[in-house]
Amino acid sequence: MKKNGIYPGTFDPISLGHVDVIRKSLIIVDKLVIGVSEDTSKEHFFDVGERVQLVKDCLFKDLSFQKKKINVVPFNILTIELCKKHRATIIFRGLRAVSDFEYEFQLAGMNRKLNKQIETVFLMSDLENQVIASKFIKEVASLGGDIKKFASKSVINAINKKLWLDSSLYFFLYYIIIVYSLRKTLWF
């Protein structure tokens, strides 16, 4: 009987730390569903469609993972319901540091109360990727830092494109305000 697992998260964006957890998960299960949360209580850098595509690009285009073993889906239901939908018996959660454990432990306990048939497995990323957090990747990139050690090529390109578009819009609006101000000063 095939064993299916779920790896849920926001993946905003997917990092090399996430990739480590995915690699290790695939040793345990035959099929892994990566659930990209549509969580609307958080403000996201990328919308859910962009995040799903970035996970796919990172795994299949940049890193050559096998598509037949991984399914990437958006979701806005309880993780336990996502497990039922995909016949998964394991939820994978990544841990970076001890500080992650308390929250993850509580979450695993709630999921266990909701469905005793589903186990949560905690996996650590490799040592060199344990410090990586998506929020730090975005922050380093926004300040002009090199993020090649933290994310795949597709993710880096998407972040840079988004930052460039955001800054271009800012400069365009700034230009409009300056021109309008000069027009008002010079012509009136």
Side-chain angles (χ1 to χ4, degrees):
M1 184 172 162
K2 290 196 174 209
K3 193 175 284 189
N4 296 337
I6 300 282
Y7 181 29
T10 54
F11 304 102
D12 190 29
I14 185 170
S15 71
L16 295 181
H18 293 126
V19 171
D20 280 346
V21 172
I22 292 166
R23 251 192 206 105
K24 291 174 182 184
S25 299
L26 289 169
I27 294 169
I28 300 168
V29 295
D30 301 299
K31 182 82 171 179
L32 181 65
V33 175
I34 300 172
V36 180
S37 173
E38 294 182 23
D39 183 1
T40 56
S41 68
K42 289 183 178 180
E43 188 174 324
H44 297 289
F45 190 70
F46 294 105
D47 67 40
V48 71
E50 291 171 318
R51 288 182 279 132
V52 166
Q53 191 58 54
L54 277 176
V55 171
K56 289 178 179 179
D57 289 348
C58 171
L59 297 177
F60 306 133
K61 191 170 121 183
D62 298 343
L63 303 174
S64 303
F65 277 74
Q66 293 180 15
K67 288 183 181 180
K68 66 181 179 180
K69 293 191 80 171
I70 299 171
N71 188 16
V72 183
V73 299
F75 77 103
N76 62 357
I77 56 177
L78 289 172
T79 303
I80 294 297
E81 295 303 317
L82 187 65
C83 288
K84 284 182 194 174
K85 183 176 179 180
H86 293 277
R87 296 186 180 133
T89 55
I90 300 173
I91 298 171
F92 291 102
R93 298 296 295 168
L95 295 176
R96 290 182 301 250
V98 176
S99 57
D100 289 344
F101 183 73
E102 185 175 354
Y103 169 78
E104 295 295 343
F105 181 75
Q106 290 174 335
L107 191 59
M110 289 296 292
N111 286 332
R112 185 76 173 159
K113 286 268 190 197
L114 293 169
N115 187 328
K116 292 189 186 309
Q117 305 304 312
I118 298 172
E119 288 290 337
T120 299
V121 174
F122 299 109
L123 296 172
M124 304 273 302
S125 56
D126 290 341
L127 192 58
E128 67 269 10
N129 292 326
Q130 285 181 5
V131 298
I132 301 173
S134 294
K135 68 179 180 179
F136 296 140
I137 293 172
K138 294 176 287 198
E139 187 174 342
V140 169
S142 72
L143 296 171
D146 184 2
I147 58 172
K148 288 180 188 146
K149 293 180 181 177
F150 312 126
S152 74
K153 184 178 178 180
S154 294
V155 172
I156 293 167
N157 290 340
I159 290 171
N160 288 337
K161 181 180 176 183
K162 192 148 197 117
L163 290 173
W164 183 84
L165 288 174
D166 288 350
S167 65
S168 296
L169 179 61
Y170 170 77
F171 286 117
F172 176 73
L173 292 174
Y174 183 74
Y175 174 78
I176 297 292
I177 291 168
I178 296 294
V179 168
Y180 179 76
S181 298
L182 285 173
R183 192 187 106 202
K184 198 172 184 182
T185 307
L186 296 174
W187 292 333
F188 294 114

